[in-house]
């Protein structure tokens, strides 16, 4: 049977596959920096009651499968994640002292709904790095 979440007056299953990139698609997500960005995104998801089902950080983009309560729009959740994470990345990781003009992520994002093929989407997110390396070996950039 399908696992449904519930709030006081609703039973729901709203999952989204989300992809967003750093500004200018720079390859910034490496090593300890990558780990810290992952922790920041997980913590922000917890703050809003968003369940991070699956996630993977590539050097130049982020893949996430998230379960969002229907009380929030997906645009609100992505805006919250990108905005707050940019501020936290600049303050805690990059040690910036400025308060305004802290940009880290590019303006847009890609989102698609996850229906009954959740396992396929989760496998795709998990195997991103392997797929990327195979394409590099074949020269299909």
């Amino acid at each position: 049977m399908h696992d449904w979440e519930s709030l006081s007056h609703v039973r729901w299953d709203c999952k989204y596959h989300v992809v967003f990139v750093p500004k200018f698609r720079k390859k910034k997500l490496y090593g300890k920096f990558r780990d810290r960005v992952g922790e920041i995104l997980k913590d922000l998801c917890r703050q809003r009651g968003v369940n991070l089902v699956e996630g993977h950080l590539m050097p130049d983009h982020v893949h996430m499968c998230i379960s969002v309560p229907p009380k929030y729009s997906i645009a609100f959740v992505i805006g919250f994640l990108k905005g707050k994470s940019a501020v936290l990345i600049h303050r805690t990781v990059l040690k910036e002292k400025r308060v305004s003009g802290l940009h880290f992520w590019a303006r847009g994002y890609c989102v698609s709904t996850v229906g009954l093929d959740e396992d396929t989407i989760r496998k795709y997110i998990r195997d991103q790095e392997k797929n990327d390396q195979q394409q590099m070996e074949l020269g299909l950039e």
Side-chain angles (χ1 to χ4, degrees):
M1 186 66 189
H2 198 70
D3 292 331
W4 294 85
E5 302 284 335
S6 66
L7 294 170
S8 60
H9 296 284
V10 65
R11 293 185 49 78
W12 59 277
D13 185 35
C14 304
K15 291 188 177 116
Y16 299 92
H17 177 207
V18 180
V19 180
F20 50 91
V21 299
K23 198 145 184 90
F24 308 116
R25 196 148 182 154
K26 291 190 177 181
K27 297 186 180 208
K28 295 183 173 186
L29 304 173
Y30 282 106
K32 290 181 182 178
F33 185 79
R34 177 181 179 174
D35 295 337
R36 186 65 186 120
V37 170
E39 291 170 14
I40 288 170
L41 289 171
K42 286 177 195 172
D43 186 47
L44 290 172
C45 284
R46 267 193 303 274
Q47 284 180 22
R48 284 288 173 207
V50 173
N51 182 20
L52 181 61
V53 178
E54 193 78 41
H56 192 76
L57 277 81
M58 296 293 290
D60 64 344
H61 63 281
V62 175
H63 277 274
M64 296 189 322
C65 181
I66 55 177
S67 178
V68 179
K71 63 183 178 180
Y72 300 124
S73 72
I74 188 65
F76 170 80
V77 171
I78 299 303
F80 174 79
L81 289 175
K82 287 173 64 176
K84 296 295 183 187
S85 67
V87 170
L88 288 170
I89 288 167
H90 278 87
R91 286 186 183 162
T92 62
V93 181
L94 300 176
K95 307 294 187 204
E96 284 277 338
K97 300 295 183 207
R98 296 181 301 151
V99 176
S100 64
L102 301 177
H103 301 285
F104 183 78
W105 304 110
R107 285 184 60 183
Y109 60 92
C110 175
V111 64
S112 87
T113 56
V114 174
L116 298 176
D117 60 344
E118 178 185 345
D119 293 332
T120 307
I121 299 293
R122 291 179 71 172
K123 184 178 182 326
Y124 172 76
I125 291 171
R126 249 183 268 122
D127 295 341
Q128 259 303 291
E129 211 141 10
K130 188 174 18 171
N131 293 340
D132 214 33
Q133 287 174 347
Q134 287 174 347
Q135 285 182 352
M136 296 277 271
E137 290 171 4
L138 295 174
L140 298 175
E141 289 186 61

